[in-house]
Structures are given as C-alpha cells and as structure tokens.
Amino acid sequence: MRIHSEYMTVQTDHKRKFLNITPNVNAAVEKSGIRDGLVLVFPLHSNATLFVNDEESGLLQDISEWADRLAPLGPNYHHSPRSESNAGAHLQSLLLNGQACLSLANGKLELGPWQQVIYAELDGQRPKRILIKILGE
Amino acid sequence: MRIHSEYMTVQTDHKRKFLNITPNVNAAVEKSGIRDGLVLVFPLHSNATLFVNDEESGLLQDISEWADRLAPLGPNYHHSPRSESNAGAHLQSLLLNGQACLSLANGKLELGPWQQVIYAELDGQRPKRILIKILGE
Amino acid sequence: MRIHSEYMTVQTDHKRKFLNITPNVNAAVEKSGIRDGLVLVFPLHSNATLFVNDEESGLLQDISEWADRLAPLGPNYHHSPRSESNAGAHLQSLLLNGQACLSLANGKLELGPWQQVIYAELDGQRPKRILIKILGE
C-alpha cells in the first residue's frame, strides 16, 4: 500500500469563488505515482466546501444563487455575534457536500465525461488549505 | 491490498426514478472476493445522485417531492439556455449527497438494519454509469 | 494494510441532540495503532447524520434551526402513516451530509483548526450505532 498526502493553499480575491481544482488533484495523483486506489479531497475549513459537478459557468452561478437562497448569508444567526465567520457559509458548506472521495484507476481519476472537482470558497480573501490524500498501489 | 472496480449501466424509463442498487453492490463485493475494506459507490454523472437511506416507497416519494420543492426543475436557470441538461437535477444531486463510502466487513456491506444504497436518477431515459470501487483485503 | 472497526452506541436524552464525537474517533484511531490512512465515520441509521463542521454552540443551533426550516419535522409526509419514524429526520440526514471520510496522518486525524466530527441525532431517545472504520498502515 502506498499513501500520498498533498496540501494546497488558495486565497481568493472575492469572498465567494468557485475553483475547478481537478488539475491540482491530477497533479497530486501524478506526483504520487499511485495508479489505482482512492482519493480523498477535503477542505480543512468548514466555511468552504467541495463537490463534484459539471463546470459550466451558468450552472456554477445557479449553484451559488441556490445556496444563497436556501442558506442566506448575513447577520441573522446565533453564530454571528460570537465569531467573525459567517454562519451562512457554514450552512452552505453542508448543503454543497463538503468533501469528495474519488476513484483512481490506471493512474487517472475516474470522473464522468463532464464531472469536475469544484472547490467552493464561501468566505474567502484569506488563505485556505485543501487536503488531497491518495491511498492505493 | 486488493482493488476491484465494477461499472454498471442503468437506463430508466422515466426522467426521475429511484433504484435500490444494494443488490448490485453486494454482487460486486462477492465477485471481488474482498472481505474487509472500503466500498465507494459513485455515479459518473452529476444529474443523478447516490445516497444511503431507508427504502420505503412513501419515504422515497417524500425525498423526491422535497428535492423538487428545494431545487425545482424547469427552465429558470442560467444553465438552461446553454445545455440540454436540467440545472435543477444538478442542484438536487448536490442536495442528495452524490456518493457514498461504505464499510465492508466479513464479506458483507456494513449498513444499518433499514439502510439501503439508493441511486437516484434525476434526468434519465438515457444510459448512465455507476462506479463501484472496492479496496481492501 | 491494517483495518480496524469500532462501533459506538449512543442514546440521547432528547429527540434532537448534536454530539461532538471527535474524541471517540481519536480513541478508535489510537486503539487501532494505524498511523496513516483513511477513516470512515458512518451512522448505521438514516434518521441521524454525521458531518464535519465547527463546534460552536450558536452555530450548531443555527444548523439545527436551518434543518427544521428546510425539512420540517411533523406528520405531513407519505412516510409517516406507515412508520414510527419521522420522514423529516430522514430528509435532514440527507441535507446534513450523512457520513464523513477523513484522513489520518502521523497517528492523528487531519482536521482544520476548528473542524470537529459531529454526530447529529435527529430521532433519538433510543440506542443508535455509529461505525468508525480505519484503513491504512
């Protein structure tokens, strides 16, 4: 069994930004030399999230507006007076999955034809870390 | 370490259909010969989803109606004019988890007494692929 | 490869209760002797859920109220007449993720500075089992 861990740090210009990090995951896979196994992609912050979906700018805008509709940002939360973080971002991180476990085969991520690994920054403008963990052989 | 991959293809008669694929996952486990480890069940499309829950027809109808209420289907999305796919189905795929990582012990999936692995087709009537990946020993 | 399984049983005093089970997961990791790998935390019931987020009492109250707003408890479900379980709890289990796959490195869970593993009991006052599965070396 071989195990490889990679940590990437992102800092977005805006509070809200969706990043396609599939190339970063592919680079970590290539660096690991592991050809077959599982890949965990895990944001080390709960005011960000991670999901697999199609990367189409209209769809990503739909996802962003939908998250704001179901879990509005703003001060009307119990969490807010005690913390600088936005409770809405934490709720949205739960709504939009939060992590992904992927399959690796023949040295490549097994994703559907349109699927991409999307990191959704929900409370950005500061450094955030994402863990990519590869386990296999 | 042993690794086994299985791909199943489904094509539903209706756009929306929930399928209990636990028997398929069990068959893949048996075929693999792996007795202990992890099982990833991952739809290779983001207008479908995968979750673990009880299989009771009333409950599955509740889940379906709830998804339609929180993420309505229809044309009122940025994604729609550019694509044949339904943005609502993509939002519902995020709402309803999207994938499952399961435990395998003594040659059997470790699920609770009522839990089943449910594939939710959200934009069907065409072939869709599901990956079952087993890693263990 | 080494594999370790641990089962914990909880019974909450109230129907709804959020428990930080990070210490339990850490104890299972320590007992396993596994230093590097993946950890699956999986409730063996679908009227409970499991997520990673910050443990701040105001935020957990926000999450609880948000789940009640998006997936109300009560009798207005198809599931209800046929079962003692509350369909709302099942919908909330889907909303709030349902399971977590974590990374283990150097004998420690890799969580962000504020992240904790939260078991959310949504239909409690009876024994519930949670599986902690560790695979690595």
Side-chain angles (χ1 to χ4, degrees):
Chain A
M1 181 168 52
R2 295 167 64 187
I3 299 175
H4 180 83
S5 289
E6 192 101 9
Y7 305 88
M8 56 181 283
T9 300
V10 297
Q11 178 158 353
T12 57
D13 288 341
H14 297 274
K15 279 283 182 189
R16 164 78 49 99
K17 180 85 182 172
F18 287 9
L19 302 174
N20 181 352
I21 63 165
T22 317
N24 306 77
V25 181
N26 283 328
V29 164
E30 192 167 347
K31 191 169 158 193
S32 76
I34 299 172
R35 304 277 304 163
D36 203 355
L38 295 174
V39 180
L40 173 67
V41 189
F42 189 94
L44 292 161
H45 308 265
S46 293
N47 49 10
T49 198
L50 197 289
F51 58 82
V52 173
N53 220 292
D54 299 4
E55 187 203 22
E56 191 274 321
S57 61
L59 179 62
L60 295 183
Q61 192 179 342
D62 289 326
I63 293 171
S64 178
E65 293 177 3
W66 178 66
D68 281 343
R69 201 164 64 242
L70 292 196
L73 303 180
N76 298 318
Y77 290 104
H78 303 291
H79 185 45
S80 297
R82 316 187 202 186
S83 161
E84 59 162 336
S85 286
N86 195 314
H90 286 270
L91 299 179
Q92 294 183 5
S93 82
L94 293 168
L95 181 66
L96 302 176
N97 294 358
Q99 58 172 106
C101 192
L102 307 170
S103 170
L104 175 65
N106 302 313
K108 292 197 182 309
L109 288 182
E110 293 197 278
L111 292 168
W114 303 102
Q115 287 178 323
Q116 301 289 317
V117 182
I118 309 288
Y119 170 77
E121 178 58 76
L122 303 169
D123 192 12
Q125 297 179 317
R126 42 187 167 162
K128 298 290 191 77
R129 294 173 79 225
I130 305 166
L131 165 65
I132 303 167
K133 176 105 176 185
I134 307 160
L135 185 151
E137 64 184 14
Chain B
M1 181 168 51
R2 295 167 64 187
I3 299 175
H4 180 82
S5 289
E6 194 102 7
Y7 305 88
M8 57 182 283
T9 300
V10 298
Q11 178 159 354
T12 57
D13 288 342
H14 297 275
K15 280 283 182 187
R16 164 79 48 99
K17 180 85 181 171
F18 288 7
L19 303 173
N20 181 352
I21 63 166
T22 317
N24 307 78
V25 182
N26 282 328
V29 164
E30 192 166 347
K31 193 170 157 192
S32 75
I34 299 171
R35 304 277 304 163
D36 203 354
L38 295 175
V39 180
L40 173 67
V41 190
F42 190 93
L44 291 161
H45 307 265
S46 293
N47 50 10
T49 198
L50 197 290
F51 58 82
V52 172
N53 219 292
D54 299 4
E55 186 203 21
E56 191 275 322
S57 61
L59 178 63
L60 294 183
Q61 192 179 341
D62 290 325
I63 293 171
S64 178
E65 294 177 3
W66 178 65
D68 281 345
R69 202 164 64 243
L70 292 196
L73 303 180
N76 299 318
Y77 291 103
H78 303 291
H79 185 45
S80 298
R82 317 187 202 185
S83 161
E84 59 162 336
S85 284
N86 194 315
H90 287 269
L91 300 180
Q92 293 183 7
S93 81
L94 293 169
L95 181 66
L96 303 176
N97 294 358
Q99 59 171 103
C101 193
L102 307 170
S103 170
L104 175 64
N106 300 313
K108 292 196 182 310
L109 288 182
E110 294 197 277
L111 292 168
W114 304 102
Q115 288 178 324
Q116 301 289 316
V117 182
I118 310 288
Y119 170 77
E121 179 58 78
L122 303 168
D123 193 12
Q125 298 179 318
R126 42 185 167 164
K128 298 290 190 78
R129 293 174 80 225
I130 306 165
L131 165 65
I132 303 167
K133 177 105 175 186
I134 307 160
L135 185 151
E137 65 184 14
Chain C
M1 180 168 52
R2 296 167 65 186
I3 299 175
H4 180 82
S5 290
E6 193 101 8
Y7 305 88
M8 57 182 282
T9 300
V10 298
Q11 178 159 353
T12 57
D13 287 341
H14 297 275
K15 279 283 181 188
R16 164 79 47 99
K17 180 85 182 169
F18 288 8
L19 303 173
N20 181 352
I21 63 165
T22 316
N24 306 77
V25 181
N26 282 329
V29 164
E30 191 166 349
K31 191 170 157 193
S32 76
I34 299 172
R35 303 276 306 163
D36 203 355
L38 295 174
V39 180
L40 173 67
V41 190
F42 189 93
L44 291 160
H45 308 265
S46 293
N47 49 10
T49 199
L50 197 289
F51 58 83
V52 173
N53 219 292
D54 300 4
E55 187 203 22
E56 190 277 319
S57 62
L59 179 62
L60 294 183
Q61 192 179 341
D62 289 325
I63 293 171
S64 178
E65 293 177 4
W66 178 66
D68 282 343
R69 202 164 63 241
L70 291 195
L73 304 179
N76 298 317
Y77 290 103
H78 303 290
H79 185 46
S80 297
R82 316 186 201 186
S83 162
E84 58 162 335
S85 285
N86 195 315
H90 287 269
L91 300 179
Q92 293 182 6
S93 82
L94 294 168
L95 181 67
L96 303 176
N97 295 359
Q99 58 172 104
C101 194
L102 307 170
S103 170
L104 176 64
N106 301 313
K108 292 196 182 308
L109 289 182
E110 293 196 278
L111 293 167
W114 304 103
Q115 289 179 322
Q116 301 289 318
V117 182
I118 310 287
Y119 171 76
E121 179 58 78
L122 302 169
D123 193 12
Q125 298 178 319
R126 41 186 168 164
K128 298 292 191 76
R129 293 173 80 225
I130 306 165
L131 164 65
I132 303 166
K133 177 103 175 188
I134 306 160
L135 186 151
E137 65 184 14

